[in-house]
Amino acid sequence: MDETVAEYIRRTVLKIPRDEIKTMLQKWGFLSEAQLQNINFHQIKENISQEVVQLCEENCADIKQAAVLDIIYNHIYQNKRMWSVYQMNKKGEETEIFDLTDFKKKIKRQLRTALKNVTINFREYEDNAIWIRVAWGTPYTKPNQYKTSYAVYHSQTPYVFISASVFRSNLPLLCQALVVATSYQDIREMELRGHSLSSLKDIVFRRYSQNFQTHCPRPLQERNVAPENVDLRIIRENKTEKEKIERVNWEVFGHGPQPKLEFAQYKLETTFRSDPKMHILDKKEPFRCMVKFSSPNLLESLKSLAPAGMADAPLSPLLTCIPHKARNYFKIRDKKDLLPGGFTSP
Amino acid sequence: GMFAHLEMLEKQAHEAAMKEEAAEQQEKKLSRLKSRVQELRLQRDQLREKVEQQEQPGKEGAASGPAHPSARAVLEWKIKSLKSMLQLFYLTGISGKLTKQGVCFCISTAYEGTYLDFYYLDLLTKPAVRIHRHSIPTFIPLEQISKRFLQTDIRRFLAVLSDHLNAYVGRRHQAEQLQEHFSDQIVGTMQRNSLCNLLLFNYKVLIDKQPFQLSARLLYGDLCSSLPTQVTISSTQDSPTSLAETAAAHSDLLRRVALHKAFPSLLSTQ
């Protein structure tokens, strides 16, 4: 077995938390149950990884199997990577008959004609997600397995989720291969980025909680009212107001959990507005600044702002339009006709 | 004497005059009160009349039948018929509600008696009909369908969209049922795509008591249909001629009968 492959497997196993190693190796399926039984998973990780490498030697693992283990690791710990969303579009109206084998062949062919030294691996998952792992080399060096790009594609959709590596120069190559393999015409990066891949999918696939008005609401939509403080000595003076705020909030955000985004960034290119007498920044140039909101779960925290009394309901549409517009990077400019507080976004 | 007598007479006259005056006052008072009584009696009679007038239509209605139903009864009937109309639409799969800016439709899907997913479509009606928000999956060709029908014939738009969605959930349901109930007969994993309009799987059969593996490729060319348009059954191994016949029979069956229903027959055609 190649030295580099052995080292790669060893390092991949070291990344896995000790309790998860056995399950992940079972998912991998490269080592037999008998072999797995022989490994002591209670020792320190250094030793576990050495034993795994030895068994892989016995089974003559090559880079292809090692790459599969890497895909499995990255699929389970997908939230460790930063994902960008790309959108493709096409002009035609033909029904799409997506053939997986054809797709894989085309990707490989496109990438290999452009760059000889690449490792390409695929893995399909139950939710129709196709994971593509690409390790990049140069015309003169072998692929660097530690600098990989991942692309996740759901068939017959115009969206691709890409987690690029350090070699961003190879990104156009990957994008071009995807466009050709899916029979689309072009691809562009959307202004939507985050760590939670499933939340990004929820946003573009419209699976997130939206509030639709219907006559016969689903019985699942039970409004969870927090248990009222039954102490009769306490009177809530602003009960109606609180209820109004909650209702407005529900109308905007819906009832279910919000997709998970870590930040929203607004680049302002608006002119500074101040009291004319104070003569601050008299020149009518745009005052450039950037406002960035960060949170472990930005949309949930925005949802709880009004009920917590920290903001007025309804919230600014600049904040609430994030899932609907499928973007968390905005550029705000003045409206041309000088109306206050206007904005246009490209 | 004389004066005492005169005094007495004067006194008597004075008293008489006082009495008369008092009597006069009394009479005046009495006549005043009497007229007041008249007034009140008149008012009472008027109010009685009013009350009787309000009660009378009810009495009339009971007498003359449903020709003059009360306002309340009419309202109740209207609400009831509206509710049953909404229930009817809900059962057909497409229901809608007017919103401030337009209409919100809910398309519910079902396949052979099983209710499956709900999808929503929020439309704006001014200045032109267009889609505001929706929860339709991205692989359903919504843009194509709306380009063709949304502006001209909204009923057709909804019908076509509903057909696409129902067919999609039907195909997905069949594939899921197959994987759930016949996982033993399927070799390896079944390959599908998002629209579930291309299925590829291998399955085991016994022909003349010999086990063989067949490879099935189901292509659903019509996105509004939950039956395949093209079925190809092939074998990877060297196969006897009887296998070709079996393959043809399977291919024919799968084009006519839903996948998960046809499968038991596939396994027992020999």
Side-chain angles (χ1 to χ4, degrees):
Chain A
M1 188 168 77
D2 200 335
E3 276 255 336
T4 48
V5 176
E7 181 62 14
Y8 186 63
I9 295 178
R10 191 184 75 83
R11 289 211 198 173
T12 312
V13 174
L14 279 176
K15 278 198 292 189
I16 310 171
R18 196 165 59 165
D19 309 326
E20 308 284 323
I21 297 180
K22 184 164 185 192
T23 6
M24 220 174 279
L25 291 177
Q26 280 170 333
K27 274 207 181 92
W28 188 30
F30 181 65
L31 300 175
S32 66
E33 265 303 311
Q35 285 174 311
L36 287 176
Q37 297 287 3
N38 287 336
I39 304 177
N40 174 12
F41 289 101
H42 298 292
Q43 54 188 331
I44 57 169
K45 279 210 281 190
E46 290 285 345
N47 299 352
I48 300 179
S49 58
Q50 292 288 3
E51 282 192 39
V52 170
V53 169
Q54 255 182 318
L55 290 171
C56 291
E57 279 257 17
E58 287 174 22
N59 291 12
C60 303
D62 64 15
I63 192 61
K64 212 173 149 150
Q65 276 95 26
V68 171
L69 183 62
D70 187 43
I71 298 186
I72 295 173
Y73 171 79
N74 276 290
H75 178 250
I76 295 178
Y77 294 102
Q78 52 190 242
N79 297 346
K80 285 197 173 181
R81 299 183 83 102
M82 173 67 96
W83 298 91
S84 303
V85 188
Y86 287 72
Q87 185 177 27
M88 303 186 281
N89 50 32
K90 60 155 72 176
K91 292 257 169 64
E93 292 211 357
E94 323 85 51
T95 342
E96 301 151 64
I97 310 292
F98 182 82
D99 192 329
L100 184 63
T101 340
D102 199 40
F103 172 78
K104 292 201 263 195
K105 243 194 272 180
K106 284 193 174 141
I107 297 259
K108 281 192 189 160
R109 194 170 60 206
Q110 280 286 306
L111 288 174
R112 291 224 169 99
T113 37
L115 193 63
K116 205 172 49 162
N117 289 318
V118 277
T119 318
I120 310 165
N121 295 83
F122 300 88
R123 194 168 168 89
E124 299 84 55
Y125 284 90
E126 275 295 304
D127 57 348
N128 291 315
I130 305 164
W131 278 61
I132 309 167
R133 173 189 184 275
V134 186
W136 306 96
T138 68
Y140 311 104
T141 59
K142 277 172 68 174
N144 184 343
Q145 301 299 332
Y146 300 93
K147 307 275 198 239
T148 49
S149 300
Y150 277 90
V152 179
Y153 179 62
H154 283 250
S155 53
Q156 295 158 321
T157 63
Y159 300 103
V160 191
F161 306 89
I162 299 184
S163 169
S165 65
V166 183
F167 295 149
R168 284 189 69 86
S169 51
N170 291 317
L171 216 52
L173 203 60
L174 180 59
C175 291
Q176 185 62 26
L178 285 161
V179 166
V180 171
T182 53
S183 318
Y184 277 84
Q185 281 186 306
D186 54 52
I187 183 170
R188 66 172 187 97
E189 188 174 358
M190 290 173 74
E191 303 289 337
L192 184 63
R193 272 162 229 130
H195 280 280
S196 170
L197 179 60
S198 52
S199 291
L200 294 175
K201 286 187 194 181
D202 283 345
I203 291 175
V204 291
F205 293 159
R206 312 232 166 262
R207 303 192 294 219
Y208 62 95
S209 126
Q210 296 183 74
N211 190 34
F212 290 104
Q213 301 182 47
T214 52
H215 282 296
C216 314
R218 300 292 315 278
L220 305 165
Q221 310 282 348
E222 295 289 346
R223 293 194 177 180
N224 292 324
V225 183
E228 291 280 343
N229 192 348
V230 199
D231 191 340
L232 294 168
R233 294 172 298 176
I234 299 177
I235 305 166
R236 297 198 176 276
E237 286 299 326
N238 55 350
K239 191 162 169 226
T240 37
E241 206 182 290
K242 258 181 125 65
E243 281 172 5
K244 177 172 170 270
I245 290 176
E246 281 198 14
R247 188 178 46 84
V248 169
N249 221 34
W250 275 330
E251 276 172 19
V252 172
F253 289 99
H255 295 269
Q258 300 295 307
K260 194 163 170 214
L261 288 173
E262 294 85 37
F263 47 83
Q265 186 174 295
Y266 299 83
K267 271 204 183 134
L268 299 172
E269 285 170 18
T270 48
T271 47
F272 188 80
R273 286 187 231 300
S274 70
D275 188 351
K277 292 195 206 112
M278 290 175 76
H279 296 298
I280 299 172
L281 295 176
D282 258 348
K283 299 187 202 158
K284 290 298 171 189
E285 284 178 358
F287 180 70
R288 293 168 209 277
C289 72
M290 184 170 88
V291 179
K292 184 170 174 174
F293 295 89
S294 316
S295 163
N297 191 335
L298 182 68
L299 295 173
E300 280 291 341
S301 27
L302 289 176
K303 184 176 171 180
S304 52
L305 275 179
M310 292 193 212
D312 289 327
L315 289 177
S316 158
L318 280 172
L319 294 169
T320 55
C321 71
I322 291 174
H324 182 223
K325 293 218 158 133
R327 63 188 305 171
N328 56 352
Y329 284 78
F330 295 84
K331 270 214 188 87
I332 304 176
R333 297 198 192 100
D334 279 325
K335 255 198 190 151
K336 293 286 161 68
D337 50 355
L338 297 177
L339 277 174
F343 81 96
T344 52
S345 57
Chain B
M2 194 58 92
F3 275 129
H5 194 62
L6 277 173
E7 258 182 51
M8 195 191 65
L9 284 173
E10 197 184 15
K11 210 170 150 188
Q12 273 180 357
H14 184 69
E15 275 174 12
M18 290 285 285
K19 265 189 192 163
E20 227 183 300
E21 213 183 316
E24 253 182 65
Q25 292 271 13
Q26 283 272 49
E27 266 200 53
K28 269 190 192 163
K29 201 176 174 187
L30 190 61
S31 69
R32 219 178 40 239
L33 285 170
K34 269 190 181 160
S35 67
R36 180 86 181 117
V37 165
Q38 286 281 26
E39 258 179 64
L40 288 170
R41 276 201 181 131
L42 190 62
Q43 243 188 13
R44 179 201 65 182
D45 286 339
Q46 280 177 347
L47 285 168
R48 259 199 194 148
E49 244 183 70
K50 264 192 185 172
V51 168
E52 273 174 26
Q53 258 183 3
Q54 286 209 338
E55 282 179 3
Q56 269 198 340
K59 285 189 202 157
E60 266 185 66
S64 63
H68 301 282
S70 68
R72 187 188 174 78
V74 169
L75 188 64
E76 277 180 12
W77 176 85
K78 275 187 180 170
I79 292 175
K80 195 165 166 219
S81 71
L82 257 173
K83 273 190 180 165
S84 31
M85 184 80 77
L86 283 173
Q87 180 70 3
L88 192 71
F89 275 115
Y90 179 70
L91 290 172
T92 59
I94 305 178
S95 58
K97 182 180 184 201
L98 286 174
T99 60
K100 269 184 273 181
Q101 308 140 302
V103 192
C104 183
F105 287 103
C106 171
I107 301 178
S108 56
T109 56
Y111 181 70
E112 293 198 347
T114 317
Y115 275 109
L116 295 164
D117 298 335
F118 280 62
Y119 299 101
Y120 295 93
L121 206 62
D122 203 354
L123 297 179
L124 299 169
T125 43
K126 298 188 256 288
V129 181
R130 55 202 162 92
I131 301 174
H132 180 48
R133 302 179 302 162
H134 66 86
S135 65
I136 314 276
T138 30
F139 40 80
I140 300 286
L142 181 63
E143 298 84 39
Q144 287 177 32
I145 303 171
S146 50
K147 224 192 284 185
R148 277 183 77 188
F149 300 113
L150 186 60
Q151 300 295 329
T152 48
D153 188 348
I154 200 167
R155 264 199 198 150
R156 190 137 173 236
F157 165 74
L158 287 171
V160 171
L161 184 60
S162 175
D163 285 343
H164 272 83
L165 289 167
N166 273 287
Y168 156 66
V169 296
R171 295 192 296 265
R172 191 188 64 192
H173 185 74
Q174 290 176 53
E176 285 170 357
Q177 291 292 304
L178 188 76
Q179 283 180 302
E180 207 179 291
H181 296 288
F182 301 104
S183 48
D184 293 336
Q185 276 76 32
I186 298 192
V187 180
T189 46
M190 180 192 285
Q191 199 189 99
R192 357 190 272 215
N193 55 18
S194 298
L195 267 171
C196 290
N197 66 344
L198 181 66
L199 293 179
L200 290 149
F201 59 94
N202 300 326
Y203 61 107
K204 298 184 275 192
V205 285
L206 283 174
I207 301 183
D208 300 330
K209 306 231 176 99
Q210 293 277 353
F212 281 100
Q213 187 172 298
L214 289 175
S215 195
R217 180 176 190 267
L218 278 76
L219 178 68
Y220 298 76
D222 182 4
L223 285 182
C224 293
S225 165
S226 56
L227 281 175
T229 48
Q230 209 186 82
V231 179
T232 322
I233 313 271
S234 55
S235 167
T236 43
Q237 307 140 279
D238 293 329
S239 41
T241 39
S242 52
L243 195 67
E245 284 171 17
T246 317
H250 285 193
S251 168
D252 182 61
L253 183 65
L254 286 171
R255 248 174 310 178
R256 291 180 292 114
V257 182
L259 180 60
H260 60 307
K261 295 231 168 95
F263 210 66
S265 324
L266 293 190
L267 302 173
S268 59
T269 39
Q270 47 279 344

